[in-house]
Amino acid sequence: MSTTPEQPTSASFAALRGQLHEAAAEFAGGQDALEGILLGMVDDVGRAAAEPLEIFPVCHHSPASALAMARRLREKRPKVVYLELCEDMAPLLTELRNCRLPVAVQAFASDIDGFPPDWAPLSVVAPITEASAEYQAIAYALDTPGVELVLVDRSSDHVFQWDTRQPADGEAGAAETETGAESVAGAGAGTEPEAALHGEAVGVEIGDLRPRFAELEEHLLRHGKVRHWSEWWHQYVEVPLGDSDHDTYRQVMFLIGSLFRRLAPGRDERVRVDEDRERYMWTRMREHLAATGTDPADCLYVCGAFHAASRVDEFGVHGTGDFAISPRTATTWQYGLIPSSHAAIEAQFGLASGSVSIAATEWAKNLKRTRVKPYRLEGQSGTRKPSARKTAAKTSAATPTPVPTSDLTSASDLTSGPTSDLTSGPASGLTPGSASGPASCATEDRLTGFLRQPPVLHTLDETELLGWSVDIVRAARRSGYLASTADAIAVFETSILLAAMRDRAKPTPYDFQDAAVTCIEKDTVPGRRDVRRLVEIMMGGDRIGQVGYDALPPLARDVHDRLAPLELNLQQRGVRRALLDMASRPELRACSDVLWMLRRLLPPGAARTVMGERRLGERSIQESWDLSLGTHQRALIELGYEGVSLEQVLEQRLRRTAYGPRATTAEVLEAVEDATLHLGGRRLADELGTRALEVLAGERTVDGAPEVLRRVRGLLAYYRTSEPVLPPWIESFVRAGYAHYCTLLPTAFRDEDATVGQVAAMLGFLFSMESLALSLGCDRTQLELAVAQSHPNDPAKTALLWAAQVQLGTLSRGELRGRCDELLGNPLVVPSYPRYLSGFVHALEPVPGLADVVVEAVSNAFGRLPDPVLLPWLPTLITTLRSNAADLAPLLIREAGRIFPARLAALDTWVPPWHARPAAPAPLAAPAPRGAALLPLHPETCDAVAGLLGRTDGWAPAGGPTTAPAGAALLFAHRATCDAVADLLGCGDPWTPVGQALPVASLTTRHPATAHAVTALLARP
């Protein structure tokens, strides 16, 4: 760490140095590190106070800092304000007037170049509240003519350049990085949704003033009788500094910053980054001074107190260091404003819950007590419009002409107590633009008097405390607590008691909060909020900012413009119900398109459908939506960083998903479906479909087979009904998928990691796409060989293989029924029978015709198994079907409803169809089956078919020497066709030569009802 020799301290601090020297000698026993730290702190204060360019130390979201800043700006009227904020955020500050504070200035980068890919997206936010010193400086500089605002902190790109994360960490987004005044908040920080408004962005804020030495913070909290750092700061720094003059405020903040800096761990990486930031800022300030020729006495440097007590070589306008600023990377940064909230700021920077709300309340009280006029941006949203008299006074005060001293001190003259001393200090009698502070006069020691003075005993404000007690009881009642007037009295008395126990005459908001929790909450929380949260809301609430329409990016403004026909205030927080009747108002179809894209791009709660759906080939004529775009304004704004329209952003995201290194075939097919649904046209869908073919060829597992099957079926159905021909990519996909799954099928049957549902989806793809695949040139033999090579060990997969063999014709339905009977007859296999049933149920996906066999298998189990075996087995069956085949169970239930009787009375006499014997066929004149009689009854039809097939045989008269009409010879002439029909119907009977009697077990004999029904239909006149 490079430092310069400490400059001699001004004679003004000689008395303080002597006292600290004596204290160190008495308590530490001589010259040692303690004396070096104590005297070094005085040297730091003297060095910072003697700097020609006035340094104004602040603490983030401190009402005392904001109040001192407003006073100093009206006294000094600097021409240049240097602000510790990322220098690339400067162009966005003018848009603050179009927002309702608190908001956060954001730098966002989704496509990064020069950083590890796992860090994307990069995001930096700088939250700004009205009760902050940085807002006072920004408002003064932007609304005062002739004043220049210069941001001097490192750029957003350098924030990540100096990040200490290692690329191998593999953590996406922000990690646990706290460099200087930075920290990282997770998306789920805080108990309220508003706590995650900043997302996973890195937070940059002026003045992170907190001990980095854990033992020191613990010591301060224990002896201060407080619970957390925010309460200690409010009690021992914030309140005393609220009435201090400018010099005292600066010296105290310098002293605190020097203390925390010197007690920071020596090897702390944050200190190293802080020193680089200080070198960066002083280098930028010297460059600006040299380029513009501005007098340092006319400038004001606003920075955190931790950075004000710097000891780097580059410190000061006469610094000797030569810091080289590295160039930015090629990453393209987008800038905008996002809504913030008190809870989000607390979660971002590790503050106590409610501390920012209490600070806002303290800021309002200080303004009312001291009558200091704060700076606000002209036209600032969320503030009252000033009257004509106040506007005229503000305009005259903003002119660059000299103003009499009496006008400057009039606000201070109206105050009483310690604040009235401001007009008699070194800053009294100054005119605007004059050299003031350390550049014009010797620094006066204000620390000695401040440190010696006893603590101010604030008198108890009974009216304020009583109002708090009544308000919290009223709020508790609204939240479901059984609070009464007695509880209000108890809270009042307990607050005073707790303050006395903590050596405080006046209860602080934190004392009151503890008392309210003790007296009201007791054991349970009946509502959504506890008492601690109710106190925070009562003290100022979790104010949530809003970005105005003019400050939104083009995409967000375009969304609001396109949704204007809905006639809803979508910028307001909360849920808005939108009713779209496209039948009566066709112009709302464009709004529907926008809402469906928002539903796809934004978080789930931003645009939620109540009624209506959008699927391939289907469009609703009426829709109902719950919209909360105001609540999710940050997500909408961040969409604007990715493109200028929703269509462009959606196309980019679909491409990013499809071409990602870990993209799966199912994800790419989903992208194809989304492109077809939301963007229309064939260009992008065809491109992504070709990408799906490439991804499928590279997959070696079947994890996504169910999703692939579902999406391919949907796309095929859509293209077949809406397109004249199938797209070339989907034909190639079916052809490649058929070969791909045939190759993986034997391995999937044996793989223990492949579930039965995934294997069933593979078979479903092969069987359902078989006709199309064969027409495109695939070979069915490949599927037959794949099934023949499959030898599963799992019972569910074994049942699935049997179903596939039935579909291919290598196993008859009778043989399948016989195997099921064997399973039920084997006592060793009965415990695993539910797993076989699970496989049969999954088999309904590729072979839906087996529904009756599955119903028969389940019914036989209930009919044959004894109760001691069935009752323990029944829960396993139910849980197996529910967990493994929930989607296919409805098909099974419908088949059971078709087979079983509809009434309970008929169940006693009902005989299952698989137990009923086939009825004997009616006698025919010839030994041919009954169905063959249809041929001579309709000779014209048979002659026409015979002529098409090239048969010219004549018909024999009824009762002739032949046993069947000659037209029946077609069955024997085309045995392949008849075999295929017989296989489909489950008949495996042998053929009988022509001229011989057909066997009884023929097709017509097996299905007499069908033959009689067809005969009756053809016999009608």
Side-chain angles (χ1 to χ4, degrees), residues 723-737:
E723 300 287 343
V725 294
L726 292 177
W729 75 266
I730 201 168
E731 293 183 349
S732 301
F733 188 90
V734 171
R735 184 168 55 249

Side-chain angles (χ1 to χ4, degrees), residues 199-228:
E200 296 183 352
V202 173
V204 178
E205 206 169 36
I206 296 179
D208 179 26
L209 206 55
R210 186 168 184 168
R212 298 182 184 177
F213 191 50
E215 287 77 4
L216 174 61
E217 181 172 349
E218 181 182 358
H219 176 82
L220 294 176
L221 297 182
R222 183 174 65 255
H223 289 273
K225 298 181 180 180
V226 294
R227 295 168 301 164
H228 44 72

Side-chain angles (χ1 to χ4, degrees), residues 432-647:
S434 63
S436 62
S440 60
C441 61
T443 304
E444 182 180 352
D445 180 12
R446 299 295 182 91
L447 276 177
T448 303
F450 182 83
L451 297 176
R452 282 183 174 179
Q453 68 182 8
V456 178
L457 297 178
H458 296 277
T459 59
L460 174 62
D461 191 346
E462 294 186 359
T463 303
E464 180 186 54
L465 183 58
L466 186 59
W468 288 355
S469 303
V470 173
D471 291 341
I472 189 58
V473 169
R474 184 184 297 113
R477 285 175 178 173
R478 289 195 298 264
S479 297
Y481 289 90
L482 299 178
S484 62
T485 305
D487 293 312
I489 299 173
V491 172
F492 180 87
E493 298 294 342
T494 306
S495 300
I496 299 175
L497 176 62
L498 288 177
M501 294 173 60
R502 296 166 180 174
D503 297 332
R504 294 192 282 265
K506 178 181 178 181
T508 65
Y510 299 98
D511 298 328
F512 172 76
Q513 188 178 58
D514 293 341
V517 171
T518 303
C519 299
I520 297 178
E521 188 168 295
K522 300 179 178 67
D523 296 331
T524 60
V525 178
R528 185 170 64 93
R529 296 186 175 96
D530 56 9
V531 174
R532 189 175 302 278
R533 180 62 180 155
L534 293 177
V535 173
E536 295 170 7
I537 295 175
M538 188 192 72
M539 288 294 177
D542 184 16
R543 297 182 185 176
I544 302 174
Q546 183 184 49
V547 180
Y549 175 85
D550 295 330
L552 292 173
L555 181 143
R557 293 200 300 268
D558 179 64
V559 168
H560 285 287
D561 293 341
R562 295 168 68 176
L563 295 180
L566 298 179
E567 300 178 355
L568 297 174
N569 185 10
L570 298 179
Q571 285 191 289
Q572 187 175 357
R573 294 182 60 85
V575 179
R576 297 290 178 270
R577 176 65 59 87
L579 303 176
L580 286 74
D581 185 4
M582 277 78 76
S584 60
R585 297 182 59 186
E587 67 274 10
L588 294 181
R589 294 190 181 275
C591 297
S592 175
D593 296 337
V594 173
L595 292 178
W596 283 108
M597 284 188 285
L598 290 176
R599 182 177 180 269
R600 172 64 173 76
L601 296 172
L602 292 180
R608 184 177 63 88
T609 54
V610 179
M611 180 185 68
E613 60 181 353
R614 174 165 292 193
R615 295 186 296 182
L616 290 174
E618 298 182 8
R619 294 292 186 274
S620 302
I621 61 175
Q622 289 183 335
E623 295 176 354
S624 178
W625 292 80
D626 280 346
L627 305 177
S628 57
L629 298 184
T631 304
H632 296 83
Q633 193 178 46
R634 178 185 67 86
L636 181 61
I637 291 173
E638 290 184 351
L639 282 183
Y641 301 152
E642 302 182 42
V644 296
S645 65
L646 287 176
E647 290 78 6

Side-chain angles (χ1 to χ4, degrees), residues 942-954 966-970 972-974 994:
C942 191
D943 288 339
V945 175
L948 291 175
L949 297 177
R951 304 290 297 190
T952 57
D953 302 332
L970 291 175
F972 298 92
H974 303 279
V994 179

Side-chain angles (χ1 to χ4, degrees), residues 1-12:
M1 181 174 63
S2 175
T3 58
T4 59
E6 297 182 354
Q7 299 177 356
T9 308
S10 173
S12 303

Side-chain angles (χ1 to χ4, degrees), residues 545-865:
Q546 183 184 49
V547 180
Y549 175 85
D550 295 330
L552 292 173
L555 181 143
R557 293 200 300 268
D558 179 64
V559 168
H560 285 287
D561 293 341
R562 295 168 68 176
L563 295 180
L566 298 179
E567 300 178 355
L568 297 174
N569 185 10
L570 298 179
Q571 285 191 289
Q572 187 175 357
R573 294 182 60 85
V575 179
R576 297 290 178 270
R577 176 65 59 87
L579 303 176
L580 286 74
D581 185 4
M582 277 78 76
S584 60
R585 297 182 59 186
E587 67 274 10
L588 294 181
R589 294 190 181 275
C591 297
S592 175
D593 296 337
V594 173
L595 292 178
W596 283 108
M597 284 188 285
L598 290 176
R599 182 177 180 269
R600 172 64 173 76
L601 296 172
L602 292 180
R608 184 177 63 88
T609 54
V610 179
M611 180 185 68
E613 60 181 353
R614 174 165 292 193
R615 295 186 296 182
L616 290 174
E618 298 182 8
R619 294 292 186 274
S620 302
I621 61 175
Q622 289 183 335
E623 295 176 354
S624 178
W625 292 80
D626 280 346
L627 305 177
S628 57
L629 298 184
T631 304
H632 296 83
Q633 193 178 46
R634 178 185 67 86
L636 181 61
I637 291 173
E638 290 184 351
L639 282 183
Y641 301 152
E642 302 182 42
V644 296
S645 65
L646 287 176
E647 290 78 6
Q648 180 186 5
V649 173
L650 180 58
E651 181 174 347
Q652 290 176 356
R653 290 196 178 184
L654 293 178
R655 290 180 186 275
R656 192 181 305 121
T657 300
Y659 289 93
R662 300 181 180 178
T664 63
T665 305
E667 292 174 348
V668 181
L669 289 177
E670 182 183 4
V672 174
E673 185 176 341
D674 289 340
T676 305
L677 282 176
H678 304 302
L679 299 179
R682 288 274 300 274
R683 175 188 57 83
L684 181 60
D686 291 348
E687 177 186 346
L688 298 180
T690 305
R691 172 61 181 170
L693 184 61
E694 298 174 358
V695 176
L696 177 67
E699 287 186 346
R700 294 296 178 266
T701 62
V702 295
D703 296 341
E707 189 70 11
V708 170
L709 174 63
R710 185 178 69 85
R711 296 198 178 277
V712 168
R713 281 179 174 175
L715 289 170
L716 269 175
Y718 170 74
Y719 286 130
R720 281 171 172 168
T721 56
S722 62
E723 300 287 343
V725 294
L726 292 177
W729 75 266
I730 201 168
E731 293 183 349
S732 301
F733 188 90
V734 171
R735 184 168 55 249
Y738 189 86
H740 178 74
Y741 286 132
C742 282
T743 304
L744 296 180
L745 189 61
T747 305
F749 268 112
R750 293 190 303 269
D751 189 4
E752 295 181 357
D753 295 333
T755 64
V756 62
Q758 295 170 354
V759 179
M762 294 176 60
L763 292 173
F765 184 94
L766 294 172
F767 290 145
S768 62
M769 308 289 171
E770 184 178 11
S771 59
L772 179 59
L774 295 180
S775 66
L776 295 175
C778 295
D779 190 359
R780 193 170 191 261
T781 307
Q782 187 177 6
L783 175 58
E784 295 175 350
L785 292 175
V787 172
Q789 294 173 358
S790 301
H791 304 287
N793 297 321
D794 183 70
K797 292 182 181 179
T798 301
L800 191 61
L801 178 62
W802 293 346
Q805 291 173 347
V806 171
Q807 180 70 13
L808 291 176
T810 59
L811 183 69
S812 66
R813 299 168 73 93
E815 293 174 343
L816 180 60
R817 290 187 174 95
R819 293 183 180 181
C820 293
D821 291 338
E822 293 177 2
L823 294 176
L824 282 176
N826 190 346
L828 299 178
V829 182
V830 168
S832 61
Y833 192 72
R835 300 179 62 185
Y836 283 96
L837 290 181
S838 175
F840 284 131
V841 174
H842 278 95
L844 298 179
E845 178 71 46
V847 192
L850 283 180
D852 59 334
V853 178
V854 179
V855 172
E856 178 182 347
V858 176
S859 300
N860 287 335
F862 280 90
R864 295 176 54 179
L865 293 178

